[in-house]
Amino acid sequence: SVFRPQQCFAIMIFFACLVVCISNYGVEARGPLPEYMLGKFQLETSEGFSDFMYKMGVGWFQRSIACTLYPVTTISQTEDGEITRETQSSLNTKTETFRLNTPYQSDSLTAGQPSTVVARLQGNKLIREMKRGDKELTAIMEYSGDGEKMTATITMKQDPTIKAVRVFTRLA
């Protein structure tokens, strides 16, 4: 059988759309965050956090206390895309408010010293890249398919052997 011009045109349009879709696959989302990333999560397990804090200049006493805490992290967002991450423990509460792909200042992972942070969304991961002086950190919060677990992996560019992996379980 022979294709008519209308059929050829429809097939060309289909393939053009297919190429556009495939070329956009894997492009980072700009937000807002998907629903499964929002809510309250409590720390369940932690590995390598003391070594990470040591490399960040945190003293022994503070590291010892921090490693006994099981904080609750609450992630929320406004309709216009402003994201708030609040972390509560029995000792303190830290709050960060930011927008995806927009630099902001934070001291949450840099031993109380301000750093420049950029957060981006990539699939099921919220990735925060931080720079403070000569230190560059990456914190990846990866969510399970059902959103019940959040695994935070923190690495230091200058020393890739230092890695903290903290697993959180959804509370609400």
Side-chain angles (χ1 to χ4, degrees):
S1 79
V2 175
F3 287 110
R4 287 181 271 182
Q6 294 89 352
Q7 290 174 318
C8 288
F9 182 73
I11 291 171
M12 286 180 1
I13 294 296
F14 169 78
F15 280 111
C17 290
L18 185 62
V19 167
V20 168
C21 289
I22 290 172
S23 67
N24 285 331
Y25 183 77
V27 171
E28 295 171 9
R30 300 223 179 263
L33 296 179
E35 190 68 30
Y36 65 86
M37 289 186 176
L38 306 175
K40 285 186 173 193
F41 298 85
Q42 181 157 31
L43 179 66
E44 185 178 278
T45 64
S46 183
E47 294 177 23
F49 193 53
S50 182
D51 291 340
F52 168 78
M53 288 188 295
Y54 173 78
K55 282 289 190 177
M56 292 304 301
V58 177
W60 174 84
F61 186 70
Q62 286 180 307
R63 288 196 319 269
S64 298
I65 292 172
C67 288
T68 66
L69 301 175
Y70 285 80
V72 173
T73 296
T74 303
I75 301 170
S76 61
Q77 68 184 353
T78 61
E79 287 184 19
D80 70 346
E82 187 173 82
I83 300 163
T84 300
R85 182 174 170 266
E86 180 181 80
T87 302
Q88 296 178 317
S89 73
S90 55
L91 291 181
N92 68 7
T93 298
K94 289 200 173 253
T95 303
E96 291 182 303
T97 300
F98 58 93
R99 293 182 183 280
L100 295 179
N101 307 311
T102 303
Y104 67 99
Q105 293 293 306
S106 174
D107 64 357
S108 67
L109 286 175
T110 51
Q113 298 177 15
S115 61
T116 300
V117 184
V118 176
R120 61 188 168 89
L121 183 60
Q122 186 175 346
N124 67 333
K125 299 174 187 171
L126 179 59
I127 301 170
R128 294 179 302 143
E129 294 175 323
M130 295 158 244
K131 291 184 182 182
R132 184 198 86 203
D134 63 342
K135 291 189 172 51
E136 294 182 36
L137 308 173
T138 301
I140 300 172
M141 295 164 62
E142 183 172 5
Y143 294 80
S144 61
D146 60 4
E148 292 301 310
K149 297 273 185 194
M150 174 182 70
T151 302
T153 304
I154 309 158
T155 56
M156 184 181 299
K157 184 176 182 180
Q158 292 75 11
D159 187 351
T161 64
I162 299 299
K163 177 167 91 172
V165 178
R166 295 167 61 87
V167 178
F168 293 76
T169 302
R170 178 179 294 282
L171 294 178

